Amino acid sequence: METLSRADARKARQLAEQRYALAFDTKASAAADLARLRAADAAPDLIAAAVENLSRATALVTDARAALDQASRYHRIAWRDVRP
């Protein structure tokens, strides 16, 4: 595992948190789009496209969560020996 400076570990974690938040918002938007299409009895091809978008957004959230977990590990390692 690569050793990062404390500042780099903090930046990596902040970027991972932002990426996760954006992915989560993207997934919520895709879910809302799908719900609107289903409520409006949209054409099946539009609903299928919305389901595909939701699937991609779910994958983004999964990847972003994994990146956040890794960044958090780096952050803990960088701060492990720090005492207040």
Side-chain angles (χ1 to χ4, degrees):
M1 186 179 285
E2 182 182 334
T3 303
L4 297 176
S5 71
R6 290 180 187 139
D8 288 341
R10 185 181 316 111
K11 288 177 191 173
R13 184 171 179 188
Q14 290 170 343
L15 287 173
E17 288 171 349
Q18 291 173 0
R19 178 181 171 195
Y20 180 73
L22 287 171
F24 193 83
D25 288 347
T26 300
K27 182 180 176 184
S29 177
D33 289 345
L34 178 58
R36 277 192 295 276
L37 288 170
R38 283 186 176 159
D41 289 328
D45 59 331
L46 291 177
I47 292 175
V51 168
E52 180 63 28
N53 286 339
L54 180 57
S55 177
R56 287 187 191 130
T58 300
L60 286 175
V61 169
T62 301
D63 290 346
R65 182 71 230 183
L68 179 56
D69 290 344
Q70 184 176 18
S72 294
R73 279 193 300 277
Y74 281 129
H75 189 260
R76 281 192 301 277
I77 289 167
W79 286 91
R80 183 182 324 173
D81 297 324
V82 174
R83 302 285 184 254

